[in-house]
Amino acid sequence: MRRLFEDLLRTHWQQLLGPAIVVLVTLGVGWLLKRFLLRALARRAAVTKTQLDDILVRSLSGPFMIWMLILGVHLGVQSSQLPSSVLHISARVLLILWVISLTVASARLAGDLVRHYGNQFQSAVPVTSLTENLARLLVAGIGILILLNALGVAITPILAGLGVGGLAVALALQNTLSNLFAGFYVSVAGQIRVGDYIRLDGGQEGFVADITWRSTTIRALQNNLIIIPNSKLAEAVVTNFSLPEERMALPVPVGVSYESDPDQVERILLEEAERAAREVPGMLAEPAPVVRLNPGFGESSLNFTVVCHVAAFTDQYLVQHELRKRILRRFRQEGIEFPYPARTVYLRRAGGVRRAGQAGPEGG
């Protein structure tokens, strides 16, 4: 092929001027179309309600100049008097470039469509990097098969060889495939979604940032990233604080001294909780807060529990902060005391038992 092009440049260089001019003119027209027409379409798509036209414009803008180059070379070669061998080689090269560029554009479009419609429909498969990459790989695989078939390569033996060699590949990549299928299972099951706040039985917790082919990334409240292999996540006991809904009950324990009136304490706690529900961000007025004498009788205190509801898991920290400050301020105004640990100590000595602090028979 190298000798063919050297001979072409040496003996038919005059015949290359025409095709070169056609290619340059086509590229110029393509540049103008991309600069004005595609930009106009992009501005038009930006003001519409649907995102589908934006996705299509972005997918077309990438390989647009490559397609114009293919068109220019095709028109230039067809209008020239070049040898038939050159025409045959150029046709094969242009076919390869066309299939590759179309496959890349289609794979990008498939990933964008999966992300768009997956985020639009809550009942659909949760959108992660894994689902987007699987969609792109599927389109890329189809494009490779089409390219091989266009080049005259029999794809049936290849598919059969993949089936036979799949066992060896599965054994060699056992851990990788385990993480891949575990990640696919986690994504499809819908029990762990991107954006959910989860806690593992090992103590790791945070927001699910992404699910890839190998691992799941969790962003902790300290803004650190926790990387968990998908196979470990599939086997772990996971608490999802975002399902079945983000709203959750928040128990706030409060202890008072035994000298306090339980009815008065209950009334004060309920008043402060209801007032906070109207004023504190993230605290819900419905369902209404409740107060219970639970767990009840402690070693040195009466233990109440204020049960309120917050809109999301992370709202509990501000709600507890504000609610405890309000309760402390109100208890001080009402003269309700917080208990201190109390112990009754008995001392054993020869001649009897007495309480600590009581005078003995000898006055000591």
Side-chain angles (χ1 to χ4, degrees):
M1 182 177 295
R2 179 180 178 181
R3 182 177 300 177
L4 175 62
F5 281 104
E6 291 177 352
D7 295 340
L8 180 64
L9 293 176
R10 185 171 54 254
T11 58
H12 301 280
W13 62 271
Q14 299 90 346
Q15 300 179 10
L16 294 176
L17 294 178
I21 294 174
V22 173
V23 171
L24 293 177
V25 172
T26 306
L27 289 177
V29 173
W31 182 82
L32 293 175
L33 290 176
K34 184 176 182 179
R35 181 175 178 84
F36 296 103
L37 181 60
L38 287 182
R39 285 189 177 182
L41 292 177
R43 290 193 297 268
R44 176 69 177 176
V47 298
T48 59
K49 295 182 179 180
T50 179
Q51 295 293 323
L52 183 60
D53 47 4
D54 298 87
I55 296 175
L56 291 176
V57 171
R58 287 197 301 268
S59 300
L60 290 175
S61 60
F64 182 78
M65 292 305 298
I66 297 178
W67 293 342
M68 295 303 297
L69 175 62
I70 295 174
L71 177 62
V73 174
H74 174 72
L75 295 177
V77 171
Q78 293 298 323
S79 61
S80 66
Q81 301 296 325
L82 295 174
S84 58
S85 58
V86 176
L87 298 178
H88 178 71
I89 293 176
S90 63
R92 298 290 292 270
V93 173
L94 293 179
L95 176 61
I96 295 174
L97 291 177
W98 166 252
V99 175
I100 291 176
S101 60
L102 185 61
T103 301
V104 172
S106 301
R108 179 182 179 183
L109 177 61
D112 293 341
L113 290 177
V114 168
R115 181 174 62 254
H116 171 66
Y117 285 106
N119 293 327
Q120 184 175 1
F121 300 105
Q122 297 296 329
S123 59
V125 176
V127 177
T128 62
S129 296
L130 177 61
T131 53
E132 293 183 32
N133 291 334
L134 287 177
R136 293 191 177 103
L137 288 176
L138 178 61
V139 174
I142 295 175
I144 292 174
L145 293 178
I146 294 176
L147 178 61
L148 293 176
N149 185 61
L151 294 177
V153 178
I155 61 176
T156 302
I158 297 177
L159 296 177
L162 290 177
V164 174
L167 180 60
V169 174
L171 292 176
L173 303 176
Q174 183 176 0
N175 293 333
T176 301
L177 293 177
S178 176
N179 288 321
L180 174 62
F181 287 110
F184 183 72
Y185 165 76
V186 170
S187 298
V188 172
Q191 298 172 341
I192 299 176
R193 307 166 303 179
V194 174
D196 289 353
Y197 193 93
I198 64 173
R199 178 184 295 159
L200 277 64
D201 53 357
Q204 302 88 350
E205 62 178 273
F207 292 97
V208 179
D210 197 6
I211 302 176
T212 64
W213 63 272
R214 177 188 172 274
S215 61
T216 297
T217 304
I218 297 178
R219 180 172 56 85
L221 292 178
Q222 298 82 5
N223 207 29
N224 301 322
L225 292 181
I226 304 174
I227 312 299
I228 304 174
N230 291 330
S231 58
K232 301 295 184 182
L233 180 64
E235 297 175 355
V237 178
V238 181
T239 302
N240 192 332
F241 293 95
S242 301
L243 290 177
E245 58 183 350
E246 292 191 358
R247 175 179 64 87
M248 59 173 288
L250 174 64
V252 180
V254 179
V256 297
S257 65
Y258 271 98
E259 285 74 18
S260 303
D261 182 5
D263 293 329
Q264 181 188 15
V265 174
E266 180 181 0
R267 175 179 56 82
I268 292 174
L269 291 177
L270 190 58
E271 289 176 357
E272 293 301 323
E274 291 176 347
R275 185 177 296 110
R278 297 189 298 267
E279 299 174 358
V280 178
M283 187 174 177
L284 303 178
E286 291 294 335
V290 296
V291 178
R292 296 291 183 264
L293 183 56
N294 183 40
F297 306 109
E299 293 183 356
S300 57
S301 63
L302 285 173
N303 298 317
F304 290 80
T305 300
V306 182
V307 182
C308 56
H309 289 79
V310 294
F313 180 86
T314 52
D315 293 328
Q316 63 175 309
Y317 303 106
L318 176 62
V319 171
Q320 293 186 63
H321 168 73
E322 291 293 335
L323 188 57
R324 288 191 173 110
K325 287 198 308 182
R326 292 167 181 258
I327 292 174
L328 176 60
R329 189 181 306 115
R330 183 68 181 278
F331 276 7
R332 287 175 175 175
Q333 293 175 359
E334 300 289 341
I336 298 176
E337 297 181 354
F338 289 95
Y340 295 96
R343 295 289 186 274
T344 301
V345 180
Y346 293 88
L347 299 179
R348 292 185 177 272
R349 57 181 297 180
V353 179
R354 66 180 178 86
R355 287 187 181 181
Q358 295 180 343
E362 293 81 16

